Amino acid sequence: MLELAILGFLYDTPLHGYELRKRISALTGHVRPVAESTLYPAIKRLEKAGLLVRATEPGAVAAPRHVLSLTDEGRIELRRWLTEPDERDITDENRWFTVLAFLRHLDDAPAQAAVLRRRLAFLEEPASFFYDGDRALRAEELDDPFRRGVLTIARATSRAELRWLRATLESLDG
């Protein structure tokens, strides 16, 4: 997901590493902070693969800085990743938000809708975090207020996302 976020942010505009790290951290939040020791090796891998290039520009008050830009191959690869996200990208909420943040870079509404339909199908499957044997438990069945809270919050979030997905799909299918 880090590489997808790098390509996604660079799709819009060239950035230097520090600004790129700030934007990725803002997207992934406290759940998955981005360390320099993780970011810069990912940048090097993408550069080696020909998906981005680095140019040196003079710094305003400090040393020269490296500005990163996508190559045409990087743009193609980003669109491929967005068109064909793997199952974890659909089912893991943090990974899904990264895909969703850059889905606008697909120019094809049917391709965007296909990705959204995969998420919709996932959310429509009955699920719970807690079970009694094989039976999924609902919030109302739990005495534990904390577990009940987990399920109550998850239900509200899922319902909001389902409403948004259905409305957006209707708009894309227009």
Side-chain angles (χ1 to χ4, degrees), residues 6 10 14-18 20 36 38-57 64-71:
I6 292 168
L10 292 177
L15 297 167
H16 58 87
Y18 175 75
L20 181 60
E36 287 183 24
T38 305
L39 177 62
Y40 290 104
I43 289 171
K44 287 182 183 179
R45 284 191 304 275
L46 293 170
E47 189 175 20
K48 186 176 180 180
L51 303 179
L52 61 85
V53 293
R54 180 188 318 236
T56 304
E57 293 183 354
R65 61 186 189 162
H66 300 285
V67 176
L68 305 166
S69 302
L70 275 191
T71 63

Side-chain angles (χ1 to χ4, degrees), residues 50-51 70-77 79:
L51 303 179
L70 275 191
T71 63
D72 289 340
E73 293 81 11
R75 290 177 180 283
I76 291 167
E77 184 64 12
R79 286 189 211 106

Side-chain angles (χ1 to χ4, degrees), residues 93-109:
E93 186 172 275
N94 292 309
R95 293 173 70 100
W96 169 245
F97 282 163
T98 303
V99 169
L100 195 55
F102 302 110
L103 198 56
R104 67 189 177 93
H105 295 313
L106 286 181
D107 298 331
D108 183 44

Side-chain angles (χ1 to χ4, degrees), residues 8 17 53 58 78-79 91 93 102 104 109 115-116 138 140 170:
V53 293
L78 173 66
R79 286 189 211 106
T91 60
E93 186 172 275
F102 302 110
R104 67 189 177 93
V115 174
L116 295 184
R138 296 176 36 224
E140 297 77 17
E170 186 176 312

